[in-house]
Amino acid sequence: MLRALAPGPAMAPGAPSSSPSPILAALLFSSLVLPLAQAIVVYTDKEVHGAVGSRVTLYCSFWSSEWVSDDISFTWRYQPEGGRDAISIFHYAKGQPYIDEVGTFKERIQWVGDPHWKDGSIVIHNLDYSDNGTFTCDVKNPPDIVGKTSQVTLYVFEKVPTRYGVVLGAVIGGVIGVVLLLLVLFYLVRYCWLRRQEALQRRLSAMEKGKLHKAAKDSKRGRQTPVLYAMLDHSRSTKAASEKKSKGLGESRKDKK
């Protein structure tokens, strides 16, 4: 059960005024800050380039604190180069695109956006030099309708010039590619050189082992040769002694006879 608040004591005449109520301060803060915090934000490119006779896409997206409403609307306006007034050339509302039946873009605009993806982009076909100018995208997503529009400037050329950023990116990409190629070649040459060094090292090791084995064989043969000669000399001396002994025995037998 709610109870009514008792009225406070009456302020005496001439007494100093009290400070503002906290509720009034909160209301004032919300009225000033919340609309700014909930303002819709629209995004477009700063500028786009196109060639005569080609087509160009004018991108438009937005951010909103609210869900995409069924009453969302997109409006594109065009201000010619050097002109002061902007004219409406396209409008999207209630799920239907509307192209203005007057002006130079009457039969050259195509709707390619999708509100569910927060996209309000359009395509302009068959570009001409007279299309140079500023295009403004305005989005309303009730109840979020407060916010700034976004502008994109269209430049139409006979041939689309190469952008400085594209050239710089290509140069940087080429330099990086050359550096990577040099690194690959360096590591490939180094790998081949190491493989060759390993092969030479193996051959040298095999040759050293062969020399040591041959030297061992030669030294063994050198040690065996004197022994053989000594054995031969010993056998010869033994044979000569036995022959001499048998000869002496034969002569002594003759003398006895």
Side-chain angles (χ1 to χ4, degrees), residues 64-102:
S64 174
S65 59
E66 301 290 338
W67 292 96
V68 176
S69 170
D70 292 336
D71 296 327
I72 188 172
S73 64
F74 297 89
T75 301
W76 280 93
R77 297 181 179 88
Y78 167 68
Q79 181 178 353
E81 187 177 23
R84 294 184 178 181
D85 299 328
I87 59 174
S88 176
I89 60 173
F90 177 85
H91 187 68
Y92 177 94
K94 300 295 182 179
Q96 294 294 329
Y98 299 94
I99 301 175
D100 291 350
E101 296 182 355
V102 294

mmCIF file of all heavy atoms in Angstrom, residues 64-102:
data_model
loop_
_atom_site.group_PDB
_atom_site.id
_atom_site.type_symbol
_atom_site.label_atom_id
_atom_site.label_comp_id
_atom_site.label_asym_id
_atom_site.label_seq_id
_atom_site.Cartn_x
_atom_site.Cartn_y
_atom_site.Cartn_z
ATOM 1 N N SER A 64 23.215 1.874 -34.740
ATOM 2 C CA SER A 64 22.091 2.380 -33.961
ATOM 3 C C SER A 64 21.988 1.572 -32.681
ATOM 4 O O SER A 64 22.253 0.356 -32.671
ATOM 5 C CB SER A 64 20.785 2.285 -34.761
ATOM 6 O OG SER A 64 19.681 2.657 -33.952
ATOM 7 N N SER A 65 21.592 2.240 -31.603
ATOM 8 C CA SER A 65 21.409 1.554 -30.323
ATOM 9 C C SER A 65 20.109 0.764 -30.299
ATOM 10 O O SER A 65 19.882 -0.030 -29.378
ATOM 11 C CB SER A 65 21.422 2.574 -29.178
ATOM 12 O OG SER A 65 20.387 3.536 -29.343
ATOM 13 N N GLU A 66 19.251 0.960 -31.300
ATOM 14 C CA GLU A 66 17.970 0.278 -31.373
ATOM 15 C C GLU A 66 18.029 -0.867 -32.390
ATOM 16 O O GLU A 66 18.886 -0.898 -33.271
ATOM 17 C CB GLU A 66 16.864 1.268 -31.783
ATOM 18 C CG GLU A 66 16.691 2.443 -30.857
ATOM 19 C CD GLU A 66 16.101 2.062 -29.512
ATOM 20 O OE1 GLU A 66 15.452 0.987 -29.437
ATOM 21 O OE2 GLU A 66 16.291 2.816 -28.542
ATOM 22 N N TRP A 67 17.116 -1.822 -32.234
ATOM 23 C CA TRP A 67 16.958 -2.858 -33.242
ATOM 24 C C TRP A 67 16.492 -2.224 -34.555
ATOM 25 O O TRP A 67 15.876 -1.158 -34.546
ATOM 26 C CB TRP A 67 15.934 -3.900 -32.793
ATOM 27 C CG TRP A 67 16.386 -4.737 -31.638
ATOM 28 C CD1 TRP A 67 16.104 -4.544 -30.319
ATOM 29 C CD2 TRP A 67 17.221 -5.897 -31.697
ATOM 30 N NE1 TRP A 67 16.694 -5.492 -29.541
ATOM 31 C CE2 TRP A 67 17.399 -6.350 -30.366
ATOM 32 C CE3 TRP A 67 17.837 -6.585 -32.726
ATOM 33 C CZ2 TRP A 67 18.160 -7.466 -30.054
ATOM 34 C CZ3 TRP A 67 18.596 -7.701 -32.418
ATOM 35 C CH2 TRP A 67 18.755 -8.139 -31.103
ATOM 36 N N VAL A 68 16.778 -2.887 -35.650
ATOM 37 C CA VAL A 68 16.346 -2.358 -36.948
ATOM 38 C C VAL A 68 14.819 -2.336 -36.991
ATOM 39 O O VAL A 68 14.161 -3.372 -36.843
ATOM 40 C CB VAL A 68 16.907 -3.200 -38.105
ATOM 41 C CG1 VAL A 68 16.377 -2.686 -39.431
ATOM 42 C CG2 VAL A 68 18.433 -3.154 -38.099
ATOM 43 N N SER A 69 14.291 -1.157 -37.193
ATOM 44 C CA SER A 69 12.845 -0.964 -37.155
ATOM 45 C C SER A 69 12.213 -1.250 -38.512
ATOM 46 O O SER A 69 12.868 -1.148 -39.562
ATOM 47 C CB SER A 69 12.536 0.473 -36.718
ATOM 48 O OG SER A 69 11.172 0.777 -36.877
ATOM 49 N N ASP A 70 10.941 -1.604 -38.486
ATOM 50 C CA ASP A 70 10.205 -1.771 -39.743
ATOM 51 C C ASP A 70 9.997 -0.440 -40.441
ATOM 52 O O ASP A 70 9.713 -0.397 -41.645
ATOM 53 C CB ASP A 70 8.840 -2.417 -39.468
ATOM 54 C CG ASP A 70 8.969 -3.856 -38.996
ATOM 55 O OD1 ASP A 70 10.005 -4.486 -39.316
ATOM 56 O OD2 ASP A 70 8.051 -4.341 -38.309
ATOM 57 N N ASP A 71 10.146 0.641 -39.686
ATOM 58 C CA ASP A 71 9.961 1.987 -40.249
ATOM 59 C C ASP A 71 11.295 2.636 -40.623
ATOM 60 O O ASP A 71 11.353 3.857 -40.815
ATOM 61 C CB ASP A 71 9.232 2.884 -39.237
ATOM 62 C CG ASP A 71 7.823 2.390 -38.953
ATOM 63 O OD1 ASP A 71 7.197 1.838 -39.875
ATOM 64 O OD2 ASP A 71 7.366 2.547 -37.803
ATOM 65 N N ILE A 72 12.352 1.833 -40.755
ATOM 66 C CA ILE A 72 13.654 2.387 -41.117
ATOM 67 C C ILE A 72 13.579 3.018 -42.507
ATOM 68 O O ILE A 72 12.845 2.549 -43.391
ATOM 69 C CB ILE A 72 14.747 1.297 -41.074
ATOM 70 C CG1 ILE A 72 16.136 1.913 -41.259
ATOM 71 C CG2 ILE A 72 14.494 0.225 -42.124
ATOM 72 C CD1 ILE A 72 17.278 0.931 -41.041
ATOM 73 N N SER A 73 14.352 4.088 -42.686
ATOM 74 C CA SER A 73 14.349 4.771 -43.983
ATOM 75 C C SER A 73 15.764 5.218 -44.332
ATOM 76 O O SER A 73 16.569 5.537 -43.453
ATOM 77 C CB SER A 73 13.415 5.986 -43.956
ATOM 78 O OG SER A 73 13.893 6.953 -43.038
ATOM 79 N N PHE A 74 16.039 5.216 -45.641
ATOM 80 C CA PHE A 74 17.305 5.703 -46.191
ATOM 81 C C PHE A 74 16.979 6.778 -47.220
ATOM 82 O O PHE A 74 16.073 6.594 -48.052
ATOM 83 C CB PHE A 74 18.105 4.587 -46.870
ATOM 84 C CG PHE A 74 18.531 3.476 -45.963
ATOM 85 C CD1 PHE A 74 17.712 2.373 -45.754
ATOM 86 C CD2 PHE A 74 19.752 3.531 -45.309
ATOM 87 C CE1 PHE A 74 18.106 1.348 -44.923
ATOM 88 C CE2 PHE A 74 20.154 2.503 -44.480
ATOM 89 C CZ PHE A 74 19.328 1.412 -44.289
ATOM 90 N N THR A 75 17.736 7.853 -47.181
ATOM 91 C CA THR A 75 17.552 8.927 -48.164
ATOM 92 C C THR A 75 18.918 9.336 -48.707
ATOM 93 O O THR A 75 19.850 9.596 -47.938
ATOM 94 C CB THR A 75 16.866 10.146 -47.532
ATOM 95 O OG1 THR A 75 15.593 9.749 -47.008
ATOM 96 C CG2 THR A 75 16.666 11.243 -48.561
ATOM 97 N N TRP A 76 19.013 9.352 -50.044
ATOM 98 C CA TRP A 76 20.228 9.827 -50.710
ATOM 99 C C TRP A 76 19.928 11.167 -51.380
ATOM 100 O O TRP A 76 18.931 11.300 -52.094
ATOM 101 C CB TRP A 76 20.694 8.827 -51.770
ATOM 102 C CG TRP A 76 21.456 7.647 -51.207
ATOM 103 C CD1 TRP A 76 20.951 6.439 -50.846
ATOM 104 C CD2 TRP A 76 22.868 7.590 -50.954
ATOM 105 N NE1 TRP A 76 21.946 5.613 -50.391
ATOM 106 C CE2 TRP A 76 23.137 6.295 -50.443
ATOM 107 C CE3 TRP A 76 23.919 8.482 -51.104
ATOM 108 C CZ2 TRP A 76 24.419 5.887 -50.086
ATOM 109 C CZ3 TRP A 76 25.195 8.079 -50.751
ATOM 110 C CH2 TRP A 76 25.436 6.800 -50.235
ATOM 111 N N ARG A 77 20.832 12.120 -51.125
ATOM 112 C CA ARG A 77 20.730 13.438 -51.765
ATOM 113 C C ARG A 77 21.993 13.710 -52.558
ATOM 114 O O ARG A 77 23.068 13.194 -52.227
ATOM 115 C CB ARG A 77 20.504 14.529 -50.715
ATOM 116 C CG ARG A 77 19.196 14.389 -49.945
ATOM 117 C CD ARG A 77 19.022 15.530 -48.942
ATOM 118 N NE ARG A 77 17.762 15.416 -48.219
ATOM 119 C CZ ARG A 77 17.637 14.723 -47.094
ATOM 120 N NH1 ARG A 77 18.685 14.096 -46.580
ATOM 121 N NH2 ARG A 77 16.463 14.669 -46.487
ATOM 122 N N TYR A 78 21.837 14.539 -53.588
ATOM 123 C CA TYR A 78 22.954 14.827 -54.490
ATOM 124 C C TYR A 78 23.105 16.333 -54.640
ATOM 125 O O TYR A 78 22.138 17.056 -54.881
ATOM 126 C CB TYR A 78 22.704 14.194 -55.859
ATOM 127 C CG TYR A 78 23.627 14.666 -56.951
ATOM 128 C CD1 TYR A 78 24.982 14.358 -56.939
ATOM 129 C CD2 TYR A 78 23.131 15.439 -58.016
ATOM 130 C CE1 TYR A 78 25.828 14.808 -57.954
ATOM 131 C CE2 TYR A 78 23.971 15.870 -59.028
ATOM 132 C CZ TYR A 78 25.326 15.562 -58.994
ATOM 133 O OH TYR A 78 26.143 16.006 -59.980
ATOM 134 N N GLN A 79 24.365 16.768 -54.466
ATOM 135 C CA GLN A 79 24.711 18.184 -54.674
ATOM 136 C C GLN A 79 25.755 18.261 -55.776
ATOM 137 O O GLN A 79 26.873 17.770 -55.603
ATOM 138 C CB GLN A 79 25.256 18.806 -53.390
ATOM 139 C CG GLN A 79 25.605 20.281 -53.532
ATOM 140 C CD GLN A 79 26.108 20.882 -52.222
ATOM 141 O OE1 GLN A 79 26.084 20.235 -51.180
ATOM 142 N NE2 GLN A 79 26.573 22.125 -52.287
ATOM 143 N N PRO A 80 25.400 18.821 -56.929
ATOM 144 C CA PRO A 80 26.356 18.870 -58.048
ATOM 145 C C PRO A 80 27.622 19.637 -57.668
ATOM 146 O O PRO A 80 27.618 20.481 -56.772
ATOM 147 C CB PRO A 80 25.579 19.591 -59.148
ATOM 148 C CG PRO A 80 24.149 19.483 -58.756
ATOM 149 C CD PRO A 80 24.125 19.468 -57.261
ATOM 150 N N GLU A 81 28.681 19.315 -58.396
ATOM 151 C CA GLU A 81 29.951 20.009 -58.156
ATOM 152 C C GLU A 81 29.786 21.501 -58.480
ATOM 153 O O GLU A 81 29.378 21.877 -59.573
ATOM 154 C CB GLU A 81 31.041 19.389 -59.039
ATOM 155 C CG GLU A 81 32.438 19.922 -58.760
ATOM 156 C CD GLU A 81 33.485 19.233 -59.599
ATOM 157 O OE1 GLU A 81 33.129 18.680 -60.671
ATOM 158 O OE2 GLU A 81 34.652 19.219 -59.205
ATOM 159 N N GLY A 82 30.105 22.344 -57.508
ATOM 160 C CA GLY A 82 29.949 23.776 -57.677
ATOM 161 C C GLY A 82 28.558 24.279 -57.382
ATOM 162 O O GLY A 82 28.312 25.490 -57.410
ATOM 163 N N GLY A 83 27.605 23.366 -57.090
ATOM 164 C CA GLY A 83 26.239 23.788 -56.797
ATOM 165 C C GLY A 83 26.044 24.061 -55.308
ATOM 166 O O GLY A 83 26.855 23.672 -54.465
ATOM 167 N N ARG A 84 24.932 24.707 -54.990
ATOM 168 C CA ARG A 84 24.634 25.044 -53.600
ATOM 169 C C ARG A 84 23.526 24.184 -53.017
ATOM 170 O O ARG A 84 23.529 23.902 -51.831
ATOM 171 C CB ARG A 84 24.240 26.525 -53.500
ATOM 172 C CG ARG A 84 25.365 27.495 -53.829
ATOM 173 C CD ARG A 84 24.894 28.938 -53.602
ATOM 174 N NE ARG A 84 25.977 29.893 -53.858
ATOM 175 C CZ ARG A 84 25.838 31.213 -53.723
ATOM 176 N NH1 ARG A 84 24.650 31.724 -53.339
ATOM 177 N NH2 ARG A 84 26.852 32.015 -53.984
ATOM 178 N N ASP A 85 22.587 23.810 -53.837
ATOM 179 C CA ASP A 85 21.418 23.076 -53.349
ATOM 180 C C ASP A 85 21.583 21.586 -53.600
ATOM 181 O O ASP A 85 22.109 21.155 -54.626
ATOM 182 C CB ASP A 85 20.150 23.576 -54.047
ATOM 183 C CG ASP A 85 19.892 25.050 -53.763
ATOM 184 O OD1 ASP A 85 20.252 25.492 -52.647
ATOM 185 O OD2 ASP A 85 19.357 25.747 -54.657
ATOM 186 N N ALA A 86 21.087 20.784 -52.615
ATOM 187 C CA ALA A 86 21.083 19.330 -52.751
ATOM 188 C C ALA A 86 19.668 18.861 -53.079
ATOM 189 O O ALA A 86 18.687 19.365 -52.516
ATOM 190 C CB ALA A 86 21.574 18.684 -51.464
ATOM 191 N N ILE A 87 19.580 17.897 -53.967
ATOM 192 C CA ILE A 87 18.279 17.374 -54.367
ATOM 193 C C ILE A 87 18.192 15.898 -53.967
ATOM 194 O O ILE A 87 19.195 15.177 -53.923
ATOM 195 C CB ILE A 87 18.055 17.514 -55.886
ATOM 196 C CG1 ILE A 87 19.162 16.764 -56.658
ATOM 197 C CG2 ILE A 87 18.013 18.966 -56.290
ATOM 198 C CD1 ILE A 87 18.925 16.732 -58.157
ATOM 199 N N SER A 88 16.988 15.453 -53.651
ATOM 200 C CA SER A 88 16.765 14.061 -53.302
ATOM 201 C C SER A 88 16.717 13.217 -54.574
ATOM 202 O O SER A 88 16.002 13.548 -55.526
ATOM 203 C CB SER A 88 15.466 13.918 -52.517
ATOM 204 O OG SER A 88 15.192 12.555 -52.247
ATOM 205 N N ILE A 89 17.495 12.127 -54.586
ATOM 206 C CA ILE A 89 17.532 11.270 -55.768
ATOM 207 C C ILE A 89 17.057 9.849 -55.465
ATOM 208 O O ILE A 89 16.741 9.087 -56.395
ATOM 209 C CB ILE A 89 18.946 11.212 -56.379
ATOM 210 C CG1 ILE A 89 19.949 10.656 -55.358
ATOM 211 C CG2 ILE A 89 19.370 12.580 -56.885
ATOM 212 C CD1 ILE A 89 21.332 10.406 -55.923
ATOM 213 N N PHE A 90 17.008 9.478 -54.160
ATOM 214 C CA PHE A 90 16.589 8.109 -53.821
ATOM 215 C C PHE A 90 16.036 8.106 -52.405
ATOM 216 O O PHE A 90 16.539 8.817 -51.515
ATOM 217 C CB PHE A 90 17.771 7.137 -53.925
ATOM 218 C CG PHE A 90 17.433 5.729 -53.521
ATOM 219 C CD1 PHE A 90 16.865 4.854 -54.434
ATOM 220 C CD2 PHE A 90 17.669 5.285 -52.232
ATOM 221 C CE1 PHE A 90 16.538 3.557 -54.058
ATOM 222 C CE2 PHE A 90 17.350 3.994 -51.853
ATOM 223 C CZ PHE A 90 16.779 3.126 -52.763
ATOM 224 N N HIS A 91 15.022 7.251 -52.202
ATOM 225 C CA HIS A 91 14.421 7.130 -50.873
ATOM 226 C C HIS A 91 13.947 5.694 -50.677
ATOM 227 O O HIS A 91 13.367 5.085 -51.584
ATOM 228 C CB HIS A 91 13.239 8.100 -50.717
ATOM 229 C CG HIS A 91 12.689 8.133 -49.324
ATOM 230 N ND1 HIS A 91 13.371 8.643 -48.256
ATOM 231 C CD2 HIS A 91 11.495 7.710 -48.840
ATOM 232 C CE1 HIS A 91 12.648 8.546 -47.161
ATOM 233 N NE2 HIS A 91 11.489 7.967 -47.491
ATOM 234 N N TYR A 92 14.224 5.165 -49.475
ATOM 235 C CA TYR A 92 13.775 3.820 -49.115
ATOM 236 C C TYR A 92 12.950 3.930 -47.848
ATOM 237 O O TYR A 92 13.412 4.479 -46.835
ATOM 238 C CB TYR A 92 14.976 2.896 -48.892
ATOM 239 C CG TYR A 92 14.612 1.500 -48.448
ATOM 240 C CD1 TYR A 92 14.463 0.472 -49.363
ATOM 241 C CD2 TYR A 92 14.415 1.210 -47.092
ATOM 242 C CE1 TYR A 92 14.128 -0.818 -48.959
ATOM 243 C CE2 TYR A 92 14.083 -0.061 -46.676
ATOM 244 C CZ TYR A 92 13.936 -1.074 -47.613
ATOM 245 O OH TYR A 92 13.604 -2.348 -47.191
ATOM 246 N N ALA A 93 11.729 3.383 -47.872
ATOM 247 C CA ALA A 93 10.855 3.427 -46.709
ATOM 248 C C ALA A 93 9.814 2.322 -46.821
ATOM 249 O O ALA A 93 9.408 1.945 -47.934
ATOM 250 C CB ALA A 93 10.170 4.790 -46.594
ATOM 251 N N LYS A 94 9.398 1.785 -45.636
ATOM 252 C CA LYS A 94 8.376 0.739 -45.588
ATOM 253 C C LYS A 94 8.747 -0.476 -46.435
ATOM 254 O O LYS A 94 7.886 -1.129 -47.032
ATOM 255 C CB LYS A 94 7.018 1.291 -46.038
ATOM 256 C CG LYS A 94 6.490 2.450 -45.202
ATOM 257 C CD LYS A 94 6.181 2.030 -43.777
ATOM 258 C CE LYS A 94 5.598 3.187 -42.974
ATOM 259 N NZ LYS A 94 5.268 2.780 -41.573
ATOM 260 N N GLY A 95 10.059 -0.737 -46.547
ATOM 261 C CA GLY A 95 10.499 -1.908 -47.301
ATOM 262 C C GLY A 95 10.502 -1.734 -48.801
ATOM 263 O O GLY A 95 10.728 -2.709 -49.530
ATOM 264 N N GLN A 96 10.292 -0.509 -49.303
ATOM 265 C CA GLN A 96 10.245 -0.280 -50.746
ATOM 266 C C GLN A 96 11.207 0.839 -51.137
ATOM 267 O O GLN A 96 11.289 1.863 -50.465
ATOM 268 C CB GLN A 96 8.825 0.104 -51.185
ATOM 269 C CG GLN A 96 7.797 -0.991 -51.014
ATOM 270 C CD GLN A 96 8.059 -2.174 -51.932
ATOM 271 O OE1 GLN A 96 8.581 -2.011 -53.036
ATOM 272 N NE2 GLN A 96 7.710 -3.365 -51.465
ATOM 273 N N PRO A 97 11.984 0.631 -52.236
ATOM 274 C CA PRO A 97 12.848 1.707 -52.742
ATOM 275 C C PRO A 97 12.067 2.615 -53.693
ATOM 276 O O PRO A 97 11.232 2.145 -54.482
ATOM 277 C CB PRO A 97 13.952 0.949 -53.489
ATOM 278 C CG PRO A 97 13.300 -0.324 -53.937
ATOM 279 C CD PRO A 97 12.250 -0.661 -52.919
ATOM 280 N N TYR A 98 12.346 3.919 -53.593
ATOM 281 C CA TYR A 98 11.684 4.893 -54.463
ATOM 282 C C TYR A 98 12.759 5.746 -55.143
ATOM 283 O O TYR A 98 13.599 6.334 -54.460
ATOM 284 C CB TYR A 98 10.747 5.796 -53.661
ATOM 285 C CG TYR A 98 9.633 5.046 -52.959
ATOM 286 C CD1 TYR A 98 9.778 4.639 -51.639
ATOM 287 C CD2 TYR A 98 8.453 4.756 -53.620
ATOM 288 C CE1 TYR A 98 8.766 3.944 -50.992
ATOM 289 C CE2 TYR A 98 7.417 4.074 -52.977
ATOM 290 C CZ TYR A 98 7.600 3.657 -51.657
ATOM 291 O OH TYR A 98 6.586 2.977 -51.029
ATOM 292 N N ILE A 99 12.709 5.777 -56.457
ATOM 293 C CA ILE A 99 13.667 6.580 -57.225
ATOM 294 C C ILE A 99 12.924 7.787 -57.783
ATOM 295 O O ILE A 99 11.847 7.641 -58.382
ATOM 296 C CB ILE A 99 14.289 5.760 -58.372
ATOM 297 C CG1 ILE A 99 15.014 4.535 -57.810
ATOM 298 C CG2 ILE A 99 15.246 6.617 -59.189
ATOM 299 C CD1 ILE A 99 15.555 3.600 -58.868
ATOM 300 N N ASP A 100 13.489 8.957 -57.552
ATOM 301 C CA ASP A 100 12.830 10.175 -58.033
ATOM 302 C C ASP A 100 12.725 10.145 -59.560
ATOM 303 O O ASP A 100 13.661 9.739 -60.259
ATOM 304 C CB ASP A 100 13.607 11.413 -57.584
ATOM 305 C CG ASP A 100 13.508 11.630 -56.075
ATOM 306 O OD1 ASP A 100 12.691 10.931 -55.448
ATOM 307 O OD2 ASP A 100 14.233 12.477 -55.535
ATOM 308 N N GLU A 101 11.589 10.559 -60.045
ATOM 309 C CA GLU A 101 11.330 10.498 -61.479
ATOM 310 C C GLU A 101 11.860 11.706 -62.234
ATOM 311 O O GLU A 101 11.613 11.837 -63.433
ATOM 312 C CB GLU A 101 9.817 10.369 -61.718
ATOM 313 C CG GLU A 101 9.238 9.076 -61.163
ATOM 314 C CD GLU A 101 7.755 8.953 -61.442
ATOM 315 O OE1 GLU A 101 7.194 9.919 -61.984
ATOM 316 O OE2 GLU A 101 7.176 7.894 -61.128
ATOM 317 N N VAL A 102 12.551 12.582 -61.530
ATOM 318 C CA VAL A 102 13.148 13.750 -62.192
ATOM 319 C C VAL A 102 14.650 13.726 -61.930
ATOM 320 O O VAL A 102 15.129 13.083 -60.998
ATOM 321 C CB VAL A 102 12.525 15.067 -61.667
ATOM 322 C CG1 VAL A 102 11.065 15.156 -62.056
ATOM 323 C CG2 VAL A 102 12.701 15.178 -60.158
#
